[in-house]
Amino acid sequence: MKLAYWMYAGPAHIGTLRIASSFKNVHAIMHAPLGDDYFNVMRSMLERERNFTPVTASIVDRNVLARGSQEKVVDNITRKDAEEHPDLIVLTPTCTSSILQEDLNNFVERASIEAKADVMLADVNHYRVNELQAADRTLDQIVQYYINKARRKDELPAGKTEKPSVNIIGISTLGFYNQHDCTELKRLMADLGIEVNAIIPEGASVRELKNLPRAWFNLVPYRELGLMTARYLEQEFGMPYVDITPMGVVETARCIRKIQQVINAQGADVDYEEFIENQTLYVSQAAWFSRSIDCQNLTGKKAVVFGDNTHAAAMTKILAREMGIHVVWAGTYCKYDADWFREQVSEYCDEVIISDDNGAIGDAIARVEPAAIFGTQMERHVGKRLNIPCGVIAAPIHIQNFPIGYKPFLGYEGTNQVADLVYNSFTLGMEDHLLEIFGGHDTKEVITKGISADSDLTWNKEAQAELNKVPGFVRGKVKRNTEKFARDRGLSEITLEVMYAAKEAVGA
Amino acid sequence: MSVAQAEALNFECETGNYHTFCPISCVAWLYQKIEDSFFLVIGTKTCGYFLQNAMGVMIFAEPRYAMAELEEGDISAQLNDYDELKRLCLQIKRDRNPSVIVWIGTCTTEIIKMDLEGLAPKLEAEIGIPIVVARANGLDYAFTQGEDTVLAAMAVRCPDKAPEAEKSDRNAIQKLLNFGKKKEEVAQEEAEYVNHPPLVLFGSLPDPVVTQLTLELKKQGIKVSGWLPAKRYAELPVLEEGYYVAGVNPFLSRTATTLMRRRKCKLIGAPFPIGPDGSRAWIEKICSVFGVTPKGLEEREAQIWASLEDYLQLIRGKSVFFMGDNLLEISLARFLIRCGMTVPEIGIPYMDKRYQAAELALLEKTCQEMGVALPKIVEKPDNYNQIQRIKELHPDLVITGMAHANPLEARGINTKWSVEFTFAQIHGFTNARDILELVTRPLRRNNNLKDLGWEKLVKEEAKV
């Protein structure tokens, strides 16, 4: 058992549902107790979705517990088939059904005899994989299913498209700024003269999956979702894939150069260098921003980065390499893919943190007192408590991270958006400090190192008065260092003497 | 509007394929209500993810709740439940030092048959903090019924005798009301009450509403000896055999049963104090049990109705469809019919006809007096079928969960999110306006936008 207040990645079935509901005309049926269908609420609220989320539950209740699901799951599948005429029904196990160990595969086989739709059981284990891994696996599973189906029927199209073309793999519902990124990637491909053969899973029809091999290559913009599918297609059809996330000026250029190499190897004759230079120097504002006086002021400022692999790694590189910011630590909650993260960021930050414990991350932020945080919604709230500005760069996210306006993180427009995000975070922090220095609002409470622990030390009157004379923006630090000093020496009351001793000892 | 019908209410039961919140959501409001409690939900990532998403920003306020997240070793019993729970509870004791730890059993603990009720007393003795076990799981219950399971477990913990010395000022509300007063004044106040057997109310309400309802009864000379739950676990009310109890919410049938059977209390079956009509009927019923003639209630009700007139004008003659997810549906429908609305269907997760008997009778009476057809009450509704019926009936308002609200709005159907009724203050005379504020909001908003021609915002009428 683990004591947990919060989690960064959701349970496995959420990943499966994100994939199923991204496709057009695919219905997911969860084998779950009443109330587990809150995925529909999340999708309806966060994505402001106009259509009913194609997810229903085959309810596990007391009767099911006593007698097994028997006909219930099969009935629910065939009923949904008749009502909605989906192309595919994905039976989705949950943590509850994992323990019941009912033979869901058998239900799928029985239902597929009657149903017009294809029926499939999502192959995910609740206790071993999280939302992201399950999404990756489910997408792979669906693609394999339809490739095999087409192959059996001898319907696999032969050959490649005439012009260079790409499949964009991994755009999904409830993904962090996925819709905007998708638009930006399509725009980028158009600029490069590359046709988009397919985008999966978002908005795709499973009937078109057999056409995937017609593309010249696959582009996998996110580390977490789509790699399994890309590797399968490489193995099966020799399709190369590009898995460099085009986030930030340098990485976008690297991604484009890799694309160039991949398609030239198949007989295209393209040279994107001029395009890259033109975009970098004159179109994207990010390179110019890094050269400007504004960005100069950020030199050496301390920041911490935390998020999923894709965004935390890209952000760390942008901050360190493109803006000269000092990334004290960078971290990810994708523990299952920690080696990749370490390899990506270790030269760009002092320390790498791999953890999915939000308390530990909060404490690590409090410890280094950065000038800005780039993290998830959880880190934003830690920042609020510590009075440190935060830019949100990764899921988990709230409704404000599903903006209506166009805000991609990828491609050249993405570099502009990221520059704004970084700059706004830091200037807000600066303005706040200036206010403090010139006697602005002065009511902030100071906190201790561990964000959840209350101070067990008392400050006597004189020491408290002295502390209040310290300028607001360093007061927290002075208080913490003094308390640490006192605690180390087993003192319970802080007097003026203790305060000065601490100052002399640790420079508080 | 159809003519009054003589026949009785029509009950149906569908498939139970409907959307509702998992009952563990009750920790969200109960940890705030019971200030010295800590809620430990023993379940999986699925439970945790639900709480984290359903509670939104509350999660960041250092809530006094946490998940005991079960891992593969717990499921296969490679780890010892008792040792694991002891380790976590000691950690909670060290970090938060609560007066009570409430264990919320989930679907998983049911399926693997973890004996929480058996483990709790042993662990309680070992760590010195009371441990209350509530099995609020999605296999058995819906949404607000979670509170019912917790309060039923708490009812067993209420002291059965007040210590003599403290008896006079034992309960929290009285302390609150008497705060700072001298002894003579308190004695004088005692005289304002009629002599009646002790009355304890049950149901978790925000503190301002507790004060309002307590004062409302005080006006009739009726003294509230305590509330289940109180502000603090340490202040749970005394329950002696023969005490009277009354519920304030329609989803508390297990708590009512426990109070009657295990604590030998007498249940006052009344409609619930939701809307001015419900509030009046609730007070009248309590008065009648104690042989008190209510004073000034009729005027008070009339006065509240008069103050609602601007809202009533918006909804008179309009129809409202309850998809059903929180068990407040019968009381809300009864109030809205009194407001002049018609109700074709009341969906409800679970219908306890005995506990809600007085409320159902008032619903029937209200329909007759208002000359409208009796609604169809659909227990364990099927959301898919309901949406087909909504498409046919095209009601003026659908009260529903968030899963359906946006898709229905996009199809030109006004909706109100049902969960708001659970969190808003809706009890008593004072809060009647708040209910109508919620009910009329979509109508007012859409009135503002009505000339823009932006009602149906999906291209073809997509299959629903």
Side-chain angles (χ1 to χ4, degrees):
Chain A
M1 273 181 220
K2 199 170 91 181
L3 195 65
Y5 295 86
W6 212 69
M7 63 188 77
Y8 286 103
H13 71 268
I14 298 285
T16 295
L17 298 181
R18 277 177 57 189
I19 297 301
S21 60
S22 295
F23 279 109
K24 264 194 310 209
N25 217 21
V26 171
H27 200 100
I29 294 183
M30 302 165 66
H31 188 237
L34 197 64
D36 272 4
D37 59 352
Y38 58 85
F39 175 79
N40 299 29
V41 178
M42 290 171 60
R43 182 156 185 269
S44 182
M45 282 205 69
L46 297 175
E47 298 255 33
R48 280 181 215 90
E49 181 54 55
R50 301 178 198 214
N51 287 313
F52 292 94
T53 301
V55 174
T56 42
S58 174
I59 303 284
V60 175
D61 57 14
R62 273 289 151 191
N63 292 329
V64 170
L65 216 55
R67 305 181 303 135
S69 293
Q70 299 189 356
E71 301 303 316
K72 203 171 180 182
V73 175
V74 178
D75 287 349
N76 277 315
I77 293 173
T78 49
R79 177 186 160 184
K80 202 40 76 181
D81 183 57
E83 286 168 354
E84 305 264 314
H85 314 292
D87 295 327
L88 168 68
I89 293 174
V90 180
L91 181 59
T92 309
T94 59
C95 57
T96 306
S97 58
S98 301
I99 322 169
L100 287 175
Q101 299 195 322
E102 285 196 76
D103 190 358
L104 296 181
N105 240 326
N106 175 35
F107 295 152
V108 164
E109 273 165 35
R110 277 167 52 201
S112 50
I113 296 168
E114 264 186 71
K116 289 204 182 67
D118 297 314
V119 190
M120 163 190 298
L121 174 65
D123 171 30
V124 291
N125 180 326
H126 252 264
Y127 294 91
R128 304 216 170 140
V129 297
N130 69 17
E131 168 188 352
L132 302 170
Q133 294 162 289
D136 201 15
R137 171 67 191 126
T138 303
L139 180 60
D140 178 46
Q141 195 188 354
I142 292 176
V143 168
Q144 288 201 28
Y145 181 93
Y146 281 97
I147 294 285
N148 288 333
K149 189 178 174 184
R151 188 175 275 150
R152 271 199 315 276
K153 291 187 168 177
D154 212 17
E155 284 175 356
L156 271 187
K160 300 284 172 191
T161 55
E162 200 180 319
K163 283 191 190 159
S165 62
V166 62
N167 299 319
I168 300 174
I169 300 179
I171 307 290
S172 81
T173 191
L174 290 173
F176 182 77
Y177 291 79
N178 273 206
Q179 307 290 348
H180 308 285
D181 286 349
C182 183
T183 307
E184 185 64 19
L185 290 176
K186 280 195 281 190
R187 188 178 287 179
L188 180 63
M189 292 305 129
D191 286 349
L192 298 176
I194 295 171
E195 281 174 4
V196 175
N197 182 58
I199 294 169
I200 60 167
E202 186 62 42
S205 158
V206 288
R207 295 173 194 205
E208 296 155 10
L209 290 175
K210 61 172 186 283
N211 295 327
L212 286 177
R214 284 176 54 77
W216 289 32
F217 71 103
N218 293 314
L219 176 62
V220 185
Y222 308 116
R223 173 77 191 171
E224 292 77 16
L225 177 50
L227 263 187
M228 278 179 91
T229 309
R231 284 179 186 144
Y232 164 75
L233 292 171
E234 182 186 45
Q235 193 187 342
E236 208 62 21
F237 301 101
M239 291 179 79
Y241 64 85
V242 176
D243 62 349
I244 299 164
T245 303
M247 183 171 154
V249 179
V250 178
E251 290 298 287
T252 302
R254 200 157 76 87
C255 178
I256 294 171
R257 288 194 182 104
K258 178 78 185 178
I259 292 173
Q260 172 181 316
Q261 183 198 330
V262 160
I263 58 175
N264 280 350
Q266 295 176 65
D269 179 23
V270 292
D271 182 357
Y272 293 138
E273 286 307 326
E274 199 184 326
F275 172 79
I276 293 171
E277 183 174 304
N278 191 45
Q279 287 286 334
T280 305
L281 298 183
Y282 312 116
V283 179
S284 156
Q285 298 293 318
W288 157 233
F289 168 75
S290 65
R291 188 74 206 187
S292 70
I293 300 299
D294 287 339
C295 192
Q296 205 181 88
N297 285 335
L298 302 181
T299 306
K301 288 235 171 303
K302 287 200 287 185
V304 297
V305 181
F306 189 76
D308 59 9
N309 267 358
T310 303
H311 294 91
M315 200 66 200
T316 304
K317 291 180 200 169
I318 292 171
L319 292 173
R321 190 164 59 186
E322 297 179 17
M323 296 182 179
I325 289 162
H326 177 193
V327 181
V328 186
W329 59 257
T332 179
Y333 55 81
C334 298
K335 283 163 85 172
Y336 63 94
D337 197 17
D339 292 342
W340 180 86
F341 185 77
R342 245 189 227 103
E343 182 204 312
Q344 293 290 309
V345 302
S346 39
E347 62 176 300
Y348 299 107
C349 59
D350 304 347
E351 189 190 348
V352 177
I353 296 185
I354 312 289
S355 172
D356 56 5
D357 173 355
N358 68 289
I361 296 303
D363 287 347
I365 293 171
R367 171 165 55 84
V368 303
E369 299 184 37
I373 307 166
F374 298 92
T376 71
Q377 277 292 337
M378 194 62 186
E379 284 66 51
R380 193 173 73 85
H381 284 267
V382 172
K384 266 186 171 174
R385 214 178 287 170
L386 298 171
N387 265 314
I388 301 169
C390 176
V392 174
I393 57 147
I397 38 182
H398 286 170
I399 193 150
Q400 68 261 41
N401 301 112
F402 290 88
I404 303 170
Y406 185 53
K407 291 201 163 60
F409 270 66
L410 304 187
Y412 285 109
E413 179 54 27
T415 63
N416 295 338
Q417 297 292 336
V418 172
D420 276 344
L421 181 76
V422 172
Y423 186 63
N424 290 341
S425 301
F426 277 106
T427 43
L428 288 177
M430 283 297 290
E431 279 166 20
D432 210 37
H433 286 177
L434 289 173
L435 269 175
E436 300 259 8
I437 289 166
F438 296 112
H441 41 79
D442 198 3
T443 53
K444 289 187 189 77
E445 286 205 294
V446 275
I447 46 88
T448 47
K449 280 274 193 222
I451 56 164
S452 60
D454 269 335
S455 172
D456 49 352
L457 293 162
T458 49
W459 287 65
N460 80 3
K461 227 166 146 189
E462 291 84 347
Q464 187 64 53
E466 191 66 19
L467 181 67
N468 288 342
K469 288 185 206 153
V470 176
F473 68 99
V474 285
R475 195 179 304 150
K477 202 174 186 178
V478 171
K479 182 167 192 241
R480 275 186 289 278
N481 285 343
T482 309
E483 289 183 351
K484 182 173 185 301
F485 175 83
R487 214 172 277 129
D488 289 347
R489 282 155 188 78
L491 304 169
S492 63
E493 197 195 34
I494 291 169
T495 60
L496 273 181
E497 284 80 355
V498 176
M499 217 175 145
Y500 290 134
K503 186 174 182 178
E504 284 155 23
V506 291
Chain B
M1 215 179 276
S2 43
V3 262
Q5 290 169 337
E7 64 259 37
L9 285 164
N10 172 18
F11 293 92
E12 283 180 22
C13 186
E14 279 190 302
T15 60
N17 278 323
Y18 63 102
H19 168 76
T20 182
F21 273 10
C22 174
I24 60 173
S25 53
C26 68
V27 310
W29 64 90
L30 287 176
Y31 92 77
Q32 294 187 39
K33 174 70 194 178
I34 309 170
E35 289 170 359
D36 54 353
S37 62
F38 191 99
F39 284 79
L40 184 67
V41 182
I42 305 163
T44 60
K45 258 190 191 314
T46 304
C47 314
Y49 206 58
F50 164 69
L51 282 177
Q52 164 173 334
N53 283 293
M55 290 197 222
V57 290
M58 258 195 275
I59 230 87
F60 301 105
E62 293 216 3
R64 289 184 318 281
Y65 93 83
M67 291 294 308
E69 195 186 311
L70 300 169
E71 292 165 301
E72 204 162 9
D74 298 302
I75 304 298
S76 55
Q78 284 164 333
L79 297 166
N80 181 300
D81 297 338
Y82 184 80
D83 294 338
E84 292 294 297
L85 284 167
K86 182 177 164 189
R87 184 170 56 80
L88 300 193
C89 288
L90 283 172
Q91 192 180 336
I92 291 165
K93 183 182 178 183
R94 196 180 60 229
D95 293 348
R96 308 294 178 101
N97 197 27
S99 311
V100 61
I101 297 176
V102 183
W103 285 353
I104 303 288
T106 62
C107 302
T108 311
T109 56
E110 288 297 313
I111 296 169
I112 63 174
K113 298 192 169 49
M114 194 184 281
D115 181 20
L116 298 177
E117 276 95 345
L119 298 173
K122 273 191 263 172
L123 193 54
E124 179 170 317
E126 200 171 340
I127 68 172
I129 293 180
I131 296 174
V132 172
V133 180
R135 300 194 199 179
N137 61 69
L139 295 169
D140 301 306
Y141 305 108
F143 196 13
T144 48
Q145 288 180 291
E147 174 180 323
D148 194 22
T149 63
V150 174
L151 295 190
M154 292 252 176
V156 183
R157 299 300 185 110
C158 292
D160 50 10
K161 272 263 181 295
E164 281 306 315
E166 287 178 39
K167 202 163 184 174
S168 58
D169 64 351
R170 170 71 214 141
N171 90 61
I173 296 128
Q174 214 199 321
K175 252 192 232 164
L176 189 81
L177 296 174
N178 291 339
F179 184 73
K181 288 184 186 157
K182 292 206 193 82
K183 215 172 189 175
E184 314 88 77
E185 284 177 68
V186 174
Q188 196 196 339
E189 264 186 23
E190 290 288 317
E192 288 169 22
Y193 294 113
V194 295
N195 192 18
H196 64 82
L199 170 69
V200 171
L201 302 178
F202 58 95
S204 166
L205 293 178
D207 294 334
V209 184
V210 167
T211 312
Q212 286 158 11
L213 289 180
T214 308
L215 288 174
E216 214 63 73
L217 286 171
K218 192 181 167 194
K219 282 186 197 156
Q220 305 300 335
I222 291 168
K223 182 173 157 186
V224 178
S225 305
W227 279 78
L228 173 70
K231 258 169 92 81
R232 303 176 63 80
Y233 178 76
E235 291 161 359
L236 279 180
V238 175
L239 287 173
E240 288 182 38
E241 188 170 337
Y243 274 26
Y244 281 82
V245 292
V248 297
N249 265 325
F251 44 76
L252 298 172
S253 37
R254 280 175 69 90
T255 310
T257 311
T258 309
L259 290 169
M260 286 190 293
R261 297 210 181 129
R262 310 244 342 233
R263 307 305 307 249
K264 310 277 183 259
C265 294
K266 292 175 186 157
L267 177 70
I268 301 175
F272 301 99
I274 292 169
D277 49 339
S279 303
R280 178 179 165 190
W282 184 71
I283 297 170
E284 279 178 347
K285 183 64 192 282
I286 294 173
C287 285
S288 81
V289 169
F290 293 141
V292 173
T293 315
K295 299 171 295 230
L297 272 185
E298 207 177 323
E299 298 77 35
R300 181 129 170 80
E301 191 194 348
Q303 189 196 341
I304 299 290
W305 282 117
S307 72
L308 300 177
E309 186 51 34
D310 52 337
Y311 278 158
L312 296 178
Q313 280 176 9
L314 290 169
I315 55 173
R316 255 185 216 122
K318 297 220 156 71
S319 59
V320 53
F321 188 109
F322 286 86
M323 286 187 76
D325 71 347
N326 59 15
L327 285 94
L328 295 170
E329 291 88 0
I330 303 287
S331 311
L332 287 172
R334 176 262 302 150
F335 167 58
L336 292 179
I337 290 169
R338 178 62 71 187
C339 290
M341 297 187 88
T342 56
V343 182
E345 174 164 336
I346 308 176
I348 186 167
Y350 170 72
M351 182 72 244
D352 185 335
K353 288 184 197 161
R354 282 203 299 174
Y355 176 62
Q356 294 223 44
E359 184 62 84
L360 287 168
L362 183 59
L363 171 67
E364 233 175 303
K365 186 169 155 244
T366 304
C367 289
Q368 277 151 15
E369 287 176 6
M370 298 302 289
V372 299
L374 288 164
K376 181 170 74 168
I377 296 175
V378 181
E379 206 180 345
K380 288 173 171 282
D382 184 295
N383 280 168
Y384 184 86
N385 295 343
Q386 284 185 314
I387 286 165
Q388 309 310 314
R389 295 199 287 271
I390 287 169
K391 281 173 76 182
E392 267 167 45
L393 293 163
H394 214 94
D396 296 301
L397 180 67
V398 175
I399 296 185
T400 180
M402 209 35 130
H404 298 111
N406 269 339
L408 285 171
E409 288 283 350
R411 284 160 181 77
I413 293 169
N414 298 322
T415 60
K416 183 74 222 139
W417 187 30
S418 54
V419 173
E420 286 192 66
F421 293 100
T422 328
F423 295 122
Q425 305 191 350
I426 62 169
H427 291 76
F429 289 117
T430 325
N431 297 312
R433 206 175 164 80
D434 291 46
I435 308 177
L436 290 188
E437 160 71 27
L438 290 177
V439 170
T440 58
R441 192 178 298 157
L443 305 173
R444 283 180 285 129
R445 195 269 311 264
N446 293 346
N447 273 347
N448 293 341
L449 310 182
K450 70 174 183 292
D451 298 329
L452 296 170
W454 294 347
E455 267 139 45
K456 289 198 177 163
L457 295 157
V458 276
K459 267 194 191 146
E460 71 274 44
E461 185 62 319
K463 292 167 296 177
V464 282

